[in-house]
Amino acid sequence: PEAITVQELANRMAEKGADLVKALFNMGMMVTVNQTIDQDTAELLVEEFGHRIQRVSDSDIDIDTSTDVDPEEALQARPPVVTIMGHVDHGKTSLLDALRGTDVVRGEAGGITQHMGAYQIRTKGGDHVTFLDTPGHEAFTEMRARGANVTDIVVLVVAADDGIMPQTIEAINHTKAADVPMIVAINKCDKEEANPKRIRERLLEHEVIVEEMSGDVQDVEVSAKTGKGLDELIEKILLQAEFLELKANPDRPAEATVVEAKLDKGKGPLATILVNRGTLKRGDVFVVGTESGRVRAMHDDKGKQVKEAGPSMPVEVLGLGGVPMAGDQLLVVENEQRAREVAEYRQEKATEKRTAMAPASLDTMFSALA
Ligand code: GDP
Ligand code: MG
């Protein structure tokens, strides 16, 4: 149960602390304004003073934007967010690197990259595609478990010289559970022992029926090593994205998802976020998980300072009060006071939850045994 100081309670009731002390004295309690009283006593006092007890609910303090739907006319097309999954050593990292290499912007900039958990490419045709560059399945499932569904499309990598392996099956299951469309990239097709036909057949056993087997799952033969099929893979991603009609309202306070976060010795807490809707701007005040902050600076995946980030754009944000968790939602709020209020409320709730889950003391364990 919650405890509160006499003064705090007086403040909340807009009464004088001394009057509460007096009332408590009449109830047989000797306390000063700075001492805490338990919840039952507090409730008695509140009634004594003729106030109504109002239990604070989540909706009073916390923010819930899930019912806040953007009007159709405010929606604009946004780039797809793609996660690459597959068995270890089938070439996920190599493919992510190779796809990053197709970025025309990076080509212009000279190609310095900083690892950021997500990156965006601009294709030759001028379209944008965002790739999540987080260690595969775990990030995907953990974010989903935390209610964050940032992936629009999954690219399943299967090595043409290997086969359907345990993590391939796991990836298929996760993708199906998330109801996210899949594109199969049959990788290592440069190898002599590559046998893409066999991969397509084996996929049938897991109810993944690719186009060439008269199904509706797009598939493409690629080589992360030679670059074969990469353009075709990007085309198929864009085709799938078009079909999904991905849209978001860029003209509203930003909502974003934390993809990755860490504490940097020099810069403090850093978070790579992906904007879901709205536009995040430098100077914006926000709450993210149990932390609050203000955007001091933002960098894109090429290390370039940016002033704002729109839907599906990954950026690294500086200016957080602490390190959030992957999957946490970042929400822009009106002012710092509001951000702190929400963050503190969430921190309290998190502490309560931890306390409630704390293991039973030895005493209670023994009495339970007796
Ligand atoms: P991950 O574990 O799925 O991230 O796989 P990696 O990207 O680390 O690749 C595993 C190994 O396969 C590395 O030695 C890569 O050089 C190699 N590899 C990845 N893609 C290709 C490819 O298209 N062709 C060939 N020949 N080797 C590849
Ligand atoms: Mg890897």
Side-chain angles (χ1 to χ4, degrees):
E2 238 181 298
I4 187 169
T5 70
V6 175
Q7 188 59 57
E8 232 177 285
L9 184 61
N11 292 348
R12 282 195 202 175
M13 295 197 297
E15 301 282 352
K16 287 201 193 86
D19 290 342
L20 266 69
V21 171
K22 212 180 290 171
L24 285 164
F25 182 79
N26 290 336
M27 287 158 67
M29 270 174 279
M30 296 276 281
V31 289
T32 68
V33 285
N34 295 320
Q35 279 178 297
T36 56
I37 50 176
D38 61 29
Q39 187 159 355
D40 290 341
T41 312
E43 283 182 10
L44 274 175
L45 263 183
V46 171
E47 276 163 21
E48 178 80 19
F49 278 78
H51 292 278
R52 208 161 44 85
I53 295 170
Q54 193 186 2
R55 293 199 186 275
V56 178
S57 70
D58 267 7
S59 54
D60 289 337
I61 295 184
D62 212 330
I63 314 168
D64 179 10
T65 59
S66 60
T67 55
D68 173 9
V69 179
D70 291 298
E72 185 66 35
E73 61 271 20
L75 301 179
Q76 288 179 30
R78 64 167 179 84
V81 179
V82 180
T83 298
I84 294 187
M85 300 213 267
H87 195 69
V88 65
D89 280 347
H90 279 197
K92 296 179 295 294
T93 304
S94 305
L95 196 59
L96 276 163
D97 288 345
L99 286 163
R100 191 189 260 122
T102 68
D103 185 3
V104 295
V105 182
R106 198 173 302 273
E108 289 159 13
I112 24 152
T113 56
Q114 62 176 58
H115 178 79
M116 218 176 75
Y119 67 86
Q120 193 176 67
I121 60 163
R122 196 172 85 208
T123 67
K124 290 176 194 124
D127 296 294
H128 291 90
V129 181
T130 302
F131 290 94
L132 282 182
D133 189 2
T134 46
H137 312 187
E138 270 156 57
F140 186 80
T141 35
E142 194 188 305
M143 298 229 284
R144 240 170 52 79
R146 298 175 55 76
N149 235 346
V150 287
T151 302
D152 300 309
I153 297 165
V154 165
V155 169
L156 178 71
V157 182
V158 191
D161 64 340
D162 200 0
I164 311 303
M165 301 299 282
Q167 284 168 283
T168 317
I169 297 168
E170 208 183 288
I172 292 170
N173 292 338
H174 286 324
T175 309
K176 283 186 176 164
D179 202 17
V180 173
M182 182 195 290
I183 297 172
V184 179
I186 306 174
N187 191 33
K188 308 200 186 185
C189 283
D190 59 282
K191 285 192 155 183
E192 230 174 282
E193 50 291 26
N195 190 349
K197 185 166 170 284
R198 203 186 43 152
I199 301 295
R200 290 191 191 95
E201 284 165 4
R202 288 279 169 275
L203 281 169
L204 284 176
E205 291 159 25
H206 302 278
E207 281 147 56
V208 176
I209 312 165
V210 299
E211 280 174 330
E212 234 176 78
M213 309 293 285
S214 318
D216 54 10
V217 176
Q218 299 194 88
D219 69 300
V220 51
E221 293 178 18
V222 300
S223 164
K225 193 177 170 189
T226 66
K228 169 192 150 83
L230 293 187
D231 285 345
E232 201 187 331
L233 173 59
I234 291 169
E235 262 170 48
K236 298 208 166 184
I237 290 170
L238 291 171
L239 190 71
Q240 183 68 62
E242 209 176 292
F243 180 75
L244 292 172
E245 292 188 63
L246 304 169
K247 286 177 184 168
N249 175 9
D251 301 314
R252 55 166 294 139
E255 287 178 31
T257 306
V258 175
V259 170
E260 206 177 55
K262 62 177 180 201
L263 186 65
D264 183 275
K265 270 186 193 150
K267 298 176 192 160
L270 289 178
T272 298
I273 55 113
L274 201 57
V275 177
N276 305 116
R277 58 175 175 171
T279 298
L280 186 65
K281 301 183 174 110
R282 201 189 289 170
D284 275 350
V285 173
F286 60 82
V287 50
V288 56
T290 56
E291 309 294 340
S292 61
R294 177 191 284 272
V295 180
R296 267 201 290 127
M298 285 190 281
H299 296 97
D300 68 10
D301 52 296
K302 287 125 196 139
K304 202 178 113 216
Q305 284 244 16
V306 291
K307 281 188 186 152
E308 47 178 58
S312 300
M313 177 156 172
V315 281
E316 189 174 70
V317 175
L318 272 84
L320 297 98
V323 182
M325 283 194 273
D328 275 346
Q329 289 295 112
L330 180 148
L331 296 167
V332 169
V333 295
E334 312 89 76
N335 53 48
E336 268 169 7
Q337 194 192 338
R338 181 80 177 111
R340 268 200 304 270
E341 181 187 41
V342 176
E344 272 166 25
Y345 175 71
R346 289 180 180 178
Q347 271 162 27
E348 265 170 41
K349 287 204 70 163
T351 311
E352 266 172 39
K353 214 169 158 187
R354 272 199 303 275
T355 317
M357 288 190 307
S361 71
L362 283 179
D363 271 351
T364 54
M365 278 171 67
F366 282 134
S367 63
L369 285 173

